[in-house]
Amino acid sequence: MTLPYRDINFHVTPDSYIFTSPSSPNAPALTIDRPTGDVRLSETASVNNKRTARVSSIAGILGVIRLRLDKYVVVITKAQPVGRLKGHMVYKVISTEFLPVRKRPIHDPDENQFLFLLKSFIMTGPMYFSYSIDLTNSFQRQASLDNSAPLWMRADDRFFWNRFVQTDLIDFRKMGSRSQQGPQPAVDPFILPLIWGTMEIRPTKFKGTPLTIVLITRKSRYRAGTRYFTRGIDEEGHAANYNETEQVVILNDTAGGLGGFAGSADMQSGKFGASDGREMQIMSYVQTRGSVPVYWSEINALKYTPKLQVRGIETAFSAAKKHFDEQIRIYGDNYLVNLVNQKGREKRIKEAYEKMVEMLVSSKTETVAKDLLTDEKFRIIEPSTSKQEFDRLHYVYFDFHHETKGLQMHRAMMLVDRLHDALIAQQYFRGVDMPANGGLETRNFQTSVVRTNCMDSLDRTNVVQSMLARWTLDRIFVDLGLLQRGETFATADPAFEFLFRNLWADNADTVSKAYAGTGAMKTDLTRLGKRTKQGTLQDGNIAVTRYYLNNFRDGPRQDAYDLFLGAYEPNTANIGSSPIFADRRPIIIQSIPYILAFSIFFVFLGLFSKRLPDSTVLPMRLFILFWLIVGGWCLNFIIQNGMLYVNWPKLNPRPWATEGYLETIGKVRKGKGIGSFVAGHERGLSTARYLNAEEGKKRIE
């Protein structure tokens, strides 16, 4: 079994970057030539014969990325231990460094902006890795994998977050180069897979029994993005904001602390400690979340509630089939819990999802539960036969907002009660650690998964997932004999209950920050078990912050995702010589927010300026009135033409954004006032960006 190197030194020489492992002095060194960026293997001994400008110790190679003018080697300069998972240390990336392959520094505004995006939005994110255990796969999937394969080969492609930037190393590993042809297995220890998401490892006790509770959320690298710029699914069936969350309980985990390797003879494997003869048991429960699997979007225009656009359901049928084909192949039966509103603007999303499920299932049985308060408390779509693959889809609709309004969050437990029989049949994974072969012996399988969504697959989804996790954890403790049947851990051990609540609330914040830019709403329910007025006020603050971020800050954040994950490749894009990030709106359009700011300043200046005793009031009043009129006109213009002031992604423009921009700028040109100043101005997005957007629109249609 080949594991990544735990200790890597990188040597900077005039013509290359050379990476060696002090603990493996006889292993080949990884060399990246400058300025070509070619990858090759060389003898470690030859490093000492080169003139070295710098030698540093790093935690690993995050990857290699080519931008517009140069290629950069991204190294992890600092990693923080977060805990031991089954005896294996897990680390969080704290700091990174970009090593340019070119020998001379580049002064280019686009190149600088690319680097800024990556450093600001990606490298500061929650990325985790381990040298000795696969973090990308659930424990159930790990139990069926070949442990003799290198760690990166075992990784789940969906959650191998840095897979794109590892392409150079992986391609060289598979095919070699012109000078070193064929597979190059000596590169395996330099390839380090990372995940993005949550990694909480807490050694604790439950009713005096030592155990480790772990919460892992893995964010998919496909269709990753921000709240309003990435919705629905793509042509390949990848859903936006797709995350897999695994709750793990480990018994007899004697190596759950943060101790080092002193006294351990197993440094290469990364495993620490022994089980003193008792079986290490692992119980895990997996859930997923993801955007509603149809073609839909929400179009920002500075309105608090964006315009909702749902494309034809039939056009998304092929993509939905790909999505659920993968879900069923990996997880088995899928229980599709939909939490959007049954009335108002969200109703269209609900109906689109239900129509898609009805198209996928060969024959269905539909049940609607209602009461005096609502005509549709639940809607269940179940397959009546099992003729084909998609008859393993079970749709469950629950109007979360309507049922829990008035801070009655306890009513959400009705959904868990409705799913009771499915949860019993679903079970959970249970395995025993087998030190002899380094794997897991499976004692019980989880046979299905609950896939939960709301509009954002954030706040309502977080609450429901924590409830399902709580129900399953109670069941695990009953099966282990730690609880009596009918008893709950919430009443049996308040300290453990507090830990559980905060784990899930922290997970909610992490997932929400990655997608919406803020922490999650309704975390008072997760942390305290009830809705509070303070929590409601906090949700209001989050809503305002999200409005600002989603309209004015998420464009660059979306660009950062697209750049790092390979959705946009600067070296292959047909962008010409014009700057990519330049603001190409007409100058008069750009200037209006500044005129508004000046107007507000002059109004306040007029209101609070001291006047001489003998001065007349009329001129000052006219001055204030003039700037009030100017400011009011500017504000009205911005509100009426919000599409022109949203900070859109620059690298992969959304087709609906391009359409909206062109429609709005056309309306301004034809309108009175400043229309004559804008007419004939063809500087919207660049021509290349328009072509890119039009091609994307054709693919979707």
Side-chain angles (χ1 to χ4, degrees):
M1 177 171 60
T2 304
L3 297 173
Y5 289 134
R6 308 176 59 81
D7 53 339
I8 295 179
N9 288 342
F10 85 87
H11 308 252
V12 180
T13 71
D15 60 356
S16 62
Y17 293 121
I18 304 174
F19 299 87
T20 63
S21 173
S23 62
S24 303
N26 297 323
L30 178 70
T31 301
I32 299 178
D33 289 328
R34 306 174 67 189
T36 62
D38 293 338
V39 180
R40 60 185 173 86
L41 294 171
S42 59
E43 294 296 328
T44 303
S46 64
V47 176
N48 300 325
N49 301 325
K50 293 197 172 189
R51 181 164 55 88
T52 303
R54 171 187 169 192
V55 179
S56 298
S57 178
I58 60 173
I61 302 173
L62 196 147
V64 181
I65 186 167
R66 181 185 292 277
L67 300 181
R68 187 178 186 184
L69 300 176
D70 197 3
K71 184 181 284 189
Y72 298 83
V73 184
V74 188
V75 297
I76 303 169
T77 55
K78 185 178 180 181
Q80 176 184 344
V82 295
R84 292 191 180 276
L85 186 60
K86 210 172 64 117
H88 302 268
M89 184 63 81
V90 177
Y91 300 86
K92 182 179 183 180
V93 175
I94 300 299
S95 63
T96 57
E97 182 178 354
F98 284 69
L99 305 173
V101 171
R102 283 178 181 254
K103 300 176 183 180
R104 294 181 180 179
I106 295 173
H107 301 288
D108 178 78
D110 283 343
E111 194 83 357
N112 293 339
Q113 182 65 14
F114 286 139
L115 291 171
F116 171 79
L117 292 174
L118 293 172
K119 292 177 181 178
S120 300
F121 298 111
I122 302 298
M123 298 307 151
T124 57
M127 295 185 286
Y128 299 89
F129 67 91
S130 175
Y131 298 109
S132 50
I133 189 170
D134 181 7
L135 301 182
T136 66
N137 277 296
S138 66
F139 278 101
Q140 180 161 312
R141 294 197 298 273
Q142 288 183 44
S144 61
L145 294 175
D146 179 10
N147 288 323
S148 64
L151 192 63
W152 72 268
M153 286 188 178
R154 287 179 267 153
D156 189 317
D157 184 66
R158 299 172 299 162
F159 308 122
F160 188 166
W161 182 254
N162 57 325
R163 173 61 179 81
F164 173 71
V165 295
Q166 290 280 3
T167 299
D168 281 13
L169 298 186
I170 291 175
D171 287 349
F172 177 69
R173 163 61 176 88
K174 292 179 177 179
M175 300 175 290
S177 62
R178 285 176 294 180
S179 60
Q180 296 175 321
Q181 298 182 357
Q184 305 291 326
V187 177
D188 289 333
F190 293 101
I191 302 176
L192 182 65
L194 277 67
I195 65 167
W196 173 296
T198 298
M199 178 60 67
E200 297 283 354
I201 305 173
R202 303 291 179 87
T204 185
K205 289 185 178 181
F206 177 69
K207 294 179 66 176
T209 301
L211 56 83
T212 300
I213 184 167
V214 182
L215 191 61
I216 307 172
T217 289
R218 308 170 177 98
K219 183 177 180 65
S220 174
R221 69 186 183 94
Y222 294 109
R223 200 159 174 73
T226 59
R227 186 182 180 207
Y228 287 141
F229 297 143
T230 310
R231 295 291 208 188
I233 56 173
D234 61 18
E235 290 178 312
E236 300 304 316
H238 303 304
N241 195 28
Y242 184 86
N243 292 265
E244 175 188 82
T245 299
E246 181 177 22
Q247 177 179 269
V248 186
V249 176
I250 304 177
L251 281 183
N252 304 325
D253 185 9
T254 57
L258 289 173
F261 285 94
S264 172
D266 202 10
M267 179 174 178
Q268 185 175 359
S269 72
K271 195 164 184 179
F272 175 76
S275 62
D276 64 10
R278 294 178 297 174
E279 286 185 335
M280 183 189 293
Q281 298 187 54
I282 293 95
M283 283 71 64
S284 87
Y285 179 66
V286 170
Q287 303 179 68
T288 63
R289 74 173 79 195
S291 190
V292 172
V294 296
Y295 290 150
W296 67 284
S297 59
E298 288 186 284
I299 304 172
N300 291 14
L302 299 189
K303 302 290 192 297
Y304 182 76
T305 304
K307 179 182 177 183
L308 182 64
Q309 183 182 85
V310 182
R311 299 181 183 90
I313 308 303
E314 292 77 10
T315 60
F317 181 66
S318 175
K321 285 180 65 176
K322 293 178 183 178
H323 176 72
F324 286 117
D325 176 70
E326 180 182 64
Q327 297 305 294
I328 292 170
R329 175 174 52 82
I330 295 173
Y331 300 108
D333 282 41
N334 273 234
Y335 289 84
L336 313 177
V337 175
N338 186 10
L339 304 174
V340 304
N341 296 339
Q342 62 173 298
K343 296 180 180 179
R345 61 191 298 273
E346 295 185 11
K347 181 181 179 181
R348 294 174 61 197
I349 297 297
K350 171 183 178 291
E351 292 174 343
Y353 199 174
E354 290 172 355
K355 185 175 180 181
M356 181 61 73
V357 173
E358 290 171 355
M359 291 171 63
L360 288 167
V361 176
S362 61
S363 58
K364 66 182 187 299
T365 301
E366 195 166 337
T367 306
V368 177
K370 59 183 179 179
D371 58 17
L372 296 176
L373 297 176
T374 175
D375 292 333
E376 190 174 354
K377 185 186 296 289
F378 289 98
R379 178 180 289 271
I380 314 295
I381 301 177
E382 286 277 5
S384 56
T385 61
S386 298
K387 295 180 180 178
Q388 46 106 357
E389 176 190 20
F390 298 114
D391 291 335
R392 302 182 71 180
L393 299 178
H394 314 265
Y395 175 85
V396 180
Y397 170 74
F398 178 64
D399 192 346
F400 184 95
H401 274 162
H402 185 273
E403 294 299 327
T404 60
K405 67 181 179 180
L407 304 182
Q408 299 185 72
M409 303 305 290
H410 63 280
R411 292 175 61 83
M413 283 302 296
M414 291 189 297
L415 175 61
V416 179
D417 295 337
R418 174 67 63 168
L419 291 170
H420 181 270
D421 292 344
L423 295 175
I424 291 290
Q426 180 182 72
Q427 305 185 67
Y428 56 88
F429 172 77
R430 184 171 185 173
V432 175
D433 188 39
M434 304 299 290
N437 59 17
L440 289 171
E441 180 181 288
T442 302
R443 302 289 173 85
N444 195 61
F445 285 105
Q446 179 178 336
T447 59
S448 63
V449 73
V450 178
R451 182 197 190 275
T452 309
N453 73 269
C454 47
M455 285 296 282
D456 300 325
S457 298
L458 292 178
D459 310 315
R460 288 169 274 183
T461 298
N462 293 327
V463 173
V464 168
Q465 285 201 337
S466 67
M467 289 179 171
L468 295 173
R470 173 185 295 278
W471 187 93
T472 304
L473 192 54
D474 278 333
R475 180 184 182 184
I476 290 173
F477 285 157
V478 169
D479 292 347
L480 291 173
L482 299 177
L483 288 176
Q484 299 296 321
R485 192 168 299 278
E487 191 180 11
T488 66
F489 68 78
T491 56
D493 192 331
F496 185 84
E497 162 75 0
F498 178 80
L499 173 63
F500 174 87
R501 287 190 180 280
N502 281 280
L503 281 177
W504 275 94
D506 291 343
N507 174 68
D509 286 339
T510 299
V511 176
S512 181
K513 286 175 183 176
Y515 193 52
T518 70
M521 294 183 179
K522 301 180 177 66
T523 51
D524 56 334
L525 175 64
T526 311
R527 294 188 192 276
L528 305 175
K530 61 182 180 180
R531 281 300 259 154
T532 63
K533 292 182 179 179
Q534 183 180 356
T536 304
L537 291 174
Q538 181 183 353
D539 286 356
N541 179 56
I542 290 174
V544 172
T545 305
R546 282 184 180 177
Y547 170 81
Y548 168 75
L549 294 176
N550 298 159
N551 282 282
F552 304 113
R553 296 292 302 276
D554 276 359
R557 204 156 59 92
Q558 181 67 56
D559 286 338
Y561 280 125
D562 290 343
L563 188 60
F564 183 80
L565 298 173
Y568 176 86
E569 299 183 51
N571 61 306
T572 60
N574 180 24
I575 56 179
S577 58
S578 59
I580 302 170
F581 297 100
D583 190 343
R584 294 179 173 82
R585 294 174 299 168
I587 297 298
I588 186 67
I589 299 294
Q590 296 182 45
S591 65
I592 287 176
Y594 296 99
I595 297 174
L596 173 61
F598 275 114
S599 300
I600 295 172
F601 171 75
F602 284 130
V603 167
F604 277 99
L605 185 67
L607 289 173
F608 296 104
S609 293
K610 290 184 179 180
R611 297 190 301 272
L612 295 174
D614 56 346
S615 62
T616 58
V617 178
L618 183 60
M620 183 57 71
R621 287 180 175 175
L622 291 175
F623 176 83
I624 294 173
L625 179 62
F626 171 78
W627 286 110
L628 275 174
I629 293 172
V630 172
W633 181 89
C634 290
L635 181 61
N636 180 68
F637 181 88
I638 292 171
I639 293 173
Q640 294 300 319
N641 303 282
M643 290 287 291
L644 304 179
Y645 294 98
V646 173
N647 194 349
W648 301 103
K650 300 291 195 303
L651 303 184
N652 285 327
R654 277 43 185 167
W656 39 264
T658 304
E659 291 174 2
Y661 177 89
L662 292 174
E663 181 182 344
T664 305
I665 199 72
K667 183 179 68 174
V668 171
R669 287 194 183 107
K670 296 175 183 177
K672 298 179 180 179
I674 66 169
S676 58
F677 296 98
V678 181
H681 198 297
E682 298 298 330
R683 298 171 63 199
L685 299 171
S686 70
T687 303
R689 301 280 76 73
Y690 281 139
L691 292 175
N692 186 355
E694 288 301 315
E695 289 175 4
K697 186 175 74 173
K698 290 176 183 176
R699 286 197 300 270
I700 290 175
E701 291 172 349

